[in-house]
Amino acid sequence: MQKILIEGGVPLNGEVQISGAKNAVLPILCATLLADEPVEISNVPHLHDVVTTAKLLAGLGAEITIDQGTIGKGSESGIVVDPRSVHSHVAPYELVKTMRASVLVLGPLLAKYGAAEVSLPGGCAIGSRPVDQHIKGMQALGAEISVDHGFIKARADRLKGGRVVFDMVSVGATENVLMAAALAEGTSVLENAAMEPEIVDLAECLKVMGAQIEGAGSNRITVHGVARLHGGKHSVVADRIETGTFLVAAAMTGGRVTVRGARPDTLDAVLDKLRQAGAELDIDGDRITLDMRGRKPRAVNITTAPHPAFPTDMQAQFMAMNCIADGVGVINETIFENRFMHVQELQRLGADIRVEGHTAIVRGVPQLSGAPVMATDLRASASLILAGLVADGETTIDRIYHLDRGYENIEEKLSGLGARIKRIG
Ligand code: EPZ
């Protein structure tokens, strides 16, 4: 079992390249199933979840060609998916249980082949993660859906355009229904849709393939179904969560870091909170420079909410920052029911955190002290790395397979900024 070992105390300085967004490339890979021709996707991050999705598509019969670019240096790698040889519409439990996003093949398979069987994804560390909104959306487009023996079984001769009003904002349900509606007969309207930048990127890719979509990025998306979608090329949007993670690392260590290849317009709420924490930010095109001028950050209050509000995927990272900030920061997690798994691990490093329901009260301490800790989910593992960067002495982080799902070569990128970090075992 590999671990990450960090010797804390080094202010980060330098430049780091941001990779393509995990939460954009996963639905985009699933969307390739809708096409009648090969689809070429570039700026693909080298992540375990990308490999899992490629295996899922190959298991359905698609031809996958991966062009291994220069890993970690802009990761110009690409994937070509040729869906013309797809012969199955069953997404097996063995794959779905390792990655919930596998449920995103439901919409494309249903729209393209009229049938789909997708294992229920089940919960994960941060919550029960139901898919009722995905099912509601498919039914609104005319699908017959049954759920039994752990499988979602869906069928439809041809999906018909319809109106879907989501009960709550759901990124995955919006993506699934958007993909299904692209090939449905007639017009569909998605109300209370998620507005995340990854939705916009998915819509851009679908439009390249010939889909007719208006309003992606707003809470109402209109889709005029077409008879077929052709191939095309799309470059994945920069990962706003990776961007925010590196900027928080710079803020915590009191350094000066420039992230390259970023999309500043996709993380306004995060940048605002970093300014509140006392960071000086300079934005120049796809580059964001954060300079703390050696100061400690001020504690900030966070309430997570759907985009454009503060993203839940940055909650754990800001909690790590609040652990060593001046003052008290209050963090409200409103999206997931159990996304404080990093608290007890941060407490092992000496953090002063009190949890009351979905609220964590974090009182900054002068210094964290290094210790062995355990990653529990993707963003929690990132927060432990950030804490290790400032903790006195050595921190080892176990179960880092969580980390590899969503961060491309994070220890190489942090080493490039001066961190004393390495992977062992
Ligand atoms: C996506 O998950 C992201 N994953 C998550 O990132 C992210 O935290 C989340 O959106 C919120 O922004 C991917 O894009 C692959 P939701 P998703 O549907 O789509 C409830 C990371 O760390 N809900 O927006 O699963 C749900 O339980 C991961 O990169 C229902 O009740 O999230 C949650 O409380 C973690 N029924 C809330 O809605 C449904 O049918 C938001 O979930 C669907 C969701």
Side-chain angles (χ1 to χ4, degrees), residues 22-23 129-133 170-172 313 335 339 379:
K22 167 179 88 79
N23 292 349
R129 311 293 292 274
V131 290
D132 56 298
Q133 300 299 304
S170 162
V171 172
D313 292 349
I335 303 291
R339 204 168 196 176
R379 307 304 173 180

Side-chain angles (χ1 to χ4, degrees), residues 262-284:
R263 276 283 304 276
D265 62 310
T266 62
L267 66 158
D268 286 336
V270 171
L271 299 180
D272 287 352
K273 283 297 171 185
L274 287 167
R275 291 189 185 96
Q276 279 178 37
E280 288 180 15
L281 291 176
D282 177 58
I283 296 174
D284 176 15

Side-chain angles (χ1 to χ4, degrees), residues 22-24 26-27 49 100-101 104 126-135 168-173 175 194 196 198 240-241 306 311-313 334-337 339 377-379:
K22 167 179 88 79
N23 292 349
L26 299 184
D49 277 6
R100 302 186 68 270
L104 294 173
I126 64 178
S128 61
R129 311 293 292 274
V131 290
D132 56 298
Q133 300 299 304
H134 298 242
I135 291 169
M168 86 286 294
V169 175
S170 162
V171 172
E175 291 166 342
E196 270 69 5
E198 292 76 30
R240 62 194 168 103
I241 305 303
T312 174
D313 292 349
T334 72
I335 303 291
F336 290 110
E337 63 264 35
R339 204 168 196 176
D377 59 271
L378 170 56
R379 307 304 173 180

